[in-house]
């Protein structure tokens, strides 16, 4: 029984993310590390799909402009949220409780949780669908699509159990590799079709204001989550750096890199244009 208690105590220490108390100074990290984590959140399937749709509806030139302006707006929006996080070092849940009181915070946090659950559900469904299509194309697995969604979600939850520390270490390695991979995909796509052919399009399906709104709407979850990340920042300056690096550069670059292959192959699904390029075999 004592060994079980010791094991549970060690597990609690590993998974302790100060959910109801301030993050201590000893657990803080640099703004660049938090920024990399934000970039990792930006490089998701919804962002890649949205970037491809922007490119197909605006052309590459105006799509890049919309991404940059949308990224700037996201950065400006996230700075106040980031400062709240670093000043209080509390989670969004606890910040809302301090502002609205214990009872007033309950309906707000309920709505907050439902919105984030919906965002996660969309991401999980797209991820599961991508794995399902890949398995159909390159393996003999006959699992239904929903099982791939459950499996991918389980993997994400297993990583999240160990909180910021595990995700931070993963981001330091994975995010630069993801960015390099997206750059490589865009480079190969440019060899398939010259950039001049889709720099502009004859008839734009949406106007610039709608495109900027789409960028902000797609990536707004990064702003919503900012206090939960910036509470690990060492200083206010670090939190501002994370806001512009993660929510500005990260959101813009992920969308811009997704535009090139989407325009080159007239395909929004990342796995499909990667298959055309021979990168999934």
């Amino acid at each position: 029984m004592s060994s079980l208690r010791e094991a549970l105590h060690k597990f609690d220490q590993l998974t302790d993310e100060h959910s109801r108390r301030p993050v201590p100074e000893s657990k803080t990290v640099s703004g660049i590390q938090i920024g990399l984590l934000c970039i990792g959140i930006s490089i998701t399937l919804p962002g890649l799909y949205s970037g491809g749709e922007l490119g197909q509806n605006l052309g590459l030139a105006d799509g890049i402009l919309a991404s940059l302006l949308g990224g700037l707006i996201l950065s400006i929006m996230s700075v106040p949220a980031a400062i709240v996080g670093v000043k209080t070092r509390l989670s969004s849940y606890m910040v809302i409780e301090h502002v609205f009181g214990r009872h007033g915070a309950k309906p707000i946090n309920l709505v907050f949780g439902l919105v984030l659950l919906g965002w996660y559900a969309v991401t999980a469904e797209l991820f599961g669908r991508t794995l399902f299509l890949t398995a159909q194309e390159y393996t003999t697995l006959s699992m239904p699509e929903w099982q791939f969604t459950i499996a991918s979600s389980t993997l994400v939850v297993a990583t999240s159990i160990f909180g910021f520390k595990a995700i931070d270490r993963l981001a330091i390695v994975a995010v630069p590799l993801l960015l390099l991979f997206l750059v490589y995909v865009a480079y190969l796509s440019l060899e398939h079709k010259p950039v001049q052919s889709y720099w502009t399009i004859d008839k734009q399906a949406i106007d610039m204001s709608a495109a900027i709104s789409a960028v902000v709407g797609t990536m707004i979850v990064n702003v919503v989550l900012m206090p939960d990340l910036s509470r690990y920042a060492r200083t206010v300056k670090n939190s501002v750096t994370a806001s512009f690096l993660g929510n500005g550069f990260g959101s813009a670059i992920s969308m811009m890199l997704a535009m090139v292959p989407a325009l080159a192959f007239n395909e929004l699904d990342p796995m499909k244009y990667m298959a055309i390029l021979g990168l999934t075999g």
Side-chain angles (χ1 to χ4, degrees), residues 155-209:
L155 179 63
V156 171
V157 171
T159 304
S160 301
I161 285 175
F162 295 95
F164 183 86
K165 185 184 293 184
I167 299 172
D168 173 54
R169 290 176 179 175
L170 180 63
I172 291 173
V173 177
V175 170
L177 292 176
L178 278 171
L179 284 174
L180 287 173
F181 181 69
L182 287 177
V183 169
Y184 182 59
V185 170
Y187 171 74
L188 293 179
S189 301
L190 288 174
E191 288 188 333
H192 173 79
K193 196 174 181 181
V195 67
Q196 294 84 359
S197 61
Y198 44 76
W199 188 247
T200 58
I201 58 177
D202 294 333
K203 188 177 180 180
Q204 295 184 348
I206 57 175
D207 59 28
M208 183 58 67
S209 61

Side-chain angles (χ1 to χ4, degrees), residues 255-270:
M255 286 200 162
M256 288 190 290
L257 291 174
M259 292 176 194
V260 179
L263 284 164
F265 302 107
N266 195 30
E267 178 59 64
L268 293 177
D269 192 326

Side-chain angles (χ1 to χ4, degrees), residues 10-263:
K10 288 180 180 179
F11 183 77
D12 285 341
Q13 288 181 322
L14 284 172
T15 58
D16 180 22
E17 287 302 306
H18 310 91
S19 58
R20 298 191 65 84
R21 62 184 190 277
V23 174
E25 289 285 341
S26 60
K27 300 288 186 179
T28 57
V29 298
S30 70
I32 292 176
Q33 285 176 262
I34 297 173
L36 285 174
L37 187 53
C38 292
I39 293 174
I41 296 173
S42 299
I43 305 174
T44 55
L45 286 170
L48 296 179
Y49 272 93
S50 296
E53 287 187 356
L54 276 181
Q56 290 183 349
N57 287 313
L58 290 176
L60 190 58
D62 284 343
I64 290 174
L65 179 59
S67 298
L68 291 173
L69 292 174
L72 178 61
I73 292 171
L74 287 165
S75 297
I76 294 170
M77 290 174 66
S78 69
V79 166
I83 292 175
V84 168
V86 74
K87 287 288 188 179
T88 63
R89 300 209 181 282
L90 294 170
S91 65
S92 298
Y93 181 92
M94 292 304 298
V95 170
I96 292 171
E97 189 171 291
H98 276 277
V99 174
F100 295 97
R102 187 173 181 182
H103 297 293
K106 288 180 180 179
I108 297 172
N109 279 317
L110 176 62
V111 173
F112 190 41
L114 289 174
V115 169
L116 288 177
L117 183 63
W119 172 80
Y120 176 76
V122 172
T123 304
E125 194 276 334
L126 288 173
F127 189 24
R129 178 175 175 274
T130 300
L131 292 177
F132 171 71
L133 292 173
T134 304
Q136 276 195 324
E137 186 73 23
Y138 298 103
T139 71
T140 57
L141 289 175
S142 57
M143 293 166 53
E145 185 176 334
W146 67 267
Q147 290 185 5
F148 283 94
T149 302
I150 295 296
S152 61
S153 297
T154 302
L155 179 63
V156 171
V157 171
T159 304
S160 301
I161 285 175
F162 295 95
F164 183 86
K165 185 184 293 184
I167 299 172
D168 173 54
R169 290 176 179 175
L170 180 63
I172 291 173
V173 177
V175 170
L177 292 176
L178 278 171
L179 284 174
L180 287 173
F181 181 69
L182 287 177
V183 169
Y184 182 59
V185 170
Y187 171 74
L188 293 179
S189 301
L190 288 174
E191 288 188 333
H192 173 79
K193 196 174 181 181
V195 67
Q196 294 84 359
S197 61
Y198 44 76
W199 188 247
T200 58
I201 58 177
D202 294 333
K203 188 177 180 180
Q204 295 184 348
I206 57 175
D207 59 28
M208 183 58 67
S209 61
I212 295 171
S213 296
V215 174
V216 174
T218 301
M219 299 299 187
I220 195 66
V221 70
N222 294 12
V223 176
V224 174
L225 293 174
M226 202 62 202
D228 295 290
L229 301 177
S230 65
R231 69 192 184 113
Y232 290 91
R234 294 193 180 106
T235 64
V236 170
K237 183 179 178 181
N238 287 156
S239 71
V240 174
T241 298
S243 294
F244 279 90
L245 177 62
N247 294 328
F249 173 79
S251 299
I253 198 68
S254 63
M255 286 200 162
M256 288 190 290
L257 291 174
M259 292 176 194
V260 179
L263 284 164

